[in-house]
Amino acid sequence: NAGVTQTPKFRVLKTGQSMTLLCAQDMNHEYMYWYRQDPGMGLRLIHYSVGEGTTAKGEVPDGYNVSRLKKQNFLLGLESAAPSQTSVYFCASSYTNSGRVTYEQYFGPGTRLTVT
Amino acid sequence: AQSVTQLGSHVSVSEGALVLLRCNYSSSVPPYLFWYVQYPNQGLQLLLKYTSAATLVKGINGFEAEFKKSETSFHLTKPSAHMSDAAEYFCAVSEHYNQGGKLIFGQGTELSVKP
């Protein structure tokens, strides 16, 4: 099992450009999450999904959009990148056990994004 | 809303010394609690979790944590630090009764281990 994978690993964008980050998991997890990590601020939740075709806003959703067309994939889009979106982005997935949420999240290796 | 506080953004210990990383949460209702470790340029890896069973939880790499409801704490310890323990450690708490399985993360504590 590859677990949670993220593409790309690094990216440099100019202000105003757009891009999509791809997250894939092969563990058949129902829930998926996108976080950003900034120095001294821990991880902050951008958007999340509790199942195929459903998404919801997290703590810092502005400037980002997401889609979950397939259970194993969760895409994060930046329509018009800004320097404030320079960060490390992590995807995570989680599962239920007998229908109950476990809260146990598995993380990908991250995407380091720089917006100039 | 839940919150998590990790005391000390940097902790330095000598190899072989006790490691103690502190975490306090805000909820009056016992949540699920987690410790994650992040090695440089990697994602987060689950160290251990508390899910309302035993209050002393053992994790990987010799780490353990004790849930203390009266102190709303979940401190992480290891009796003897190893150089390979140098990393950033995050405490996380579940948002109680939320439907999204969401976690709230602390700001992280960077652990340095001196030879």
Side-chain angles (χ1 to χ4, degrees):
Chain A
N1 281 358
V4 180
T5 58
Q6 293 183 232
T7 309
K9 289 185 168 48
F10 302 93
R11 186 72 187 267
V12 178
L13 286 180
K14 290 186 169 30
T15 297
Q17 287 185 320
S18 63
M19 77 163 294
T20 300
L21 283 68
L22 170 63
C23 175
Q25 52 95 3
D26 61 1
M27 298 174 285
N28 202 34
H29 286 178
E30 296 91 339
Y31 295 175
M32 296 187 76
Y33 310 85
W34 275 108
Y35 293 92
R36 60 177 290 171
Q37 182 180 31
D38 302 291
M41 303 188 75
L43 276 78
R44 293 182 291 168
L45 183 65
I46 304 171
H47 286 281
Y48 65 100
S49 168
V50 299
E52 183 178 319
T54 70
T55 63
K57 294 180 180 179
E59 181 187 353
V60 288
D62 294 343
Y64 306 94
N65 57 74
V66 288
S67 64
R68 191 155 177 215
L69 299 179
K70 294 182 179 180
K71 185 177 184 178
Q72 63 268 33
N73 295 338
F74 195 29
L75 278 63
L76 178 71
L78 286 72
E79 288 186 347
S80 180
S84 61
Q85 293 177 305
T86 293
S87 187
V88 182
Y89 292 85
F90 288 99
C91 176
S93 69
S94 184
Y95 64 100
T96 60
N97 189 349
S98 300
R100 298 186 68 175
V101 178
T102 63
Y103 297 96
E104 192 174 315
Q105 295 186 11
Y106 291 81
F107 283 80
T111 295
R112 190 172 295 273
L113 175 66
T114 301
V115 183
T116 61
Chain B
Q2 286 276 18
S3 66
V4 180
T5 302
Q6 292 183 238
L7 252 74
S9 56
H10 291 90
V11 170
S12 182
V13 300
S14 298
E15 193 172 18
L18 171 72
V19 175
L20 171 60
L21 304 183
R22 300 177 188 272
C23 173
N24 288 86
Y25 62 93
S26 63
S27 175
S28 59
V29 178
Y32 289 6
L33 291 155
F34 301 82
W35 275 99
Y36 282 85
V37 60
Q38 183 181 30
Y39 299 104
N41 299 314
Q42 293 187 26
L44 277 71
Q45 178 183 354
L46 182 65
L47 260 184
L48 50 80
K49 63 180 180 181
Y50 166 78
T51 57
S52 74
T55 56
L56 183 62
V57 181
K58 294 190 185 300
I60 62 172
N61 301 337
F63 284 93
E64 62 183 34
E66 187 172 8
F67 172 71
K68 291 188 176 180
K69 182 180 176 182
S70 61
E71 298 176 8
T72 60
S73 69
F74 190 57
H75 302 331
L76 181 70
T77 60
K78 182 174 180 177
S80 177
H82 192 273
M83 296 296 290
S84 60
D85 294 327
E88 188 153 22
Y89 292 80
F90 292 93
C91 181
V93 61
S94 60
E95 281 230 34
H96 205 64
Y97 295 135
N98 86 77
Q99 296 181 348
K102 292 180 285 183
L103 295 177
I104 305 299
F105 285 85
Q107 294 172 320
T109 298
E110 186 173 352
L111 175 67
S112 302
V113 182
K114 298 174 291 187

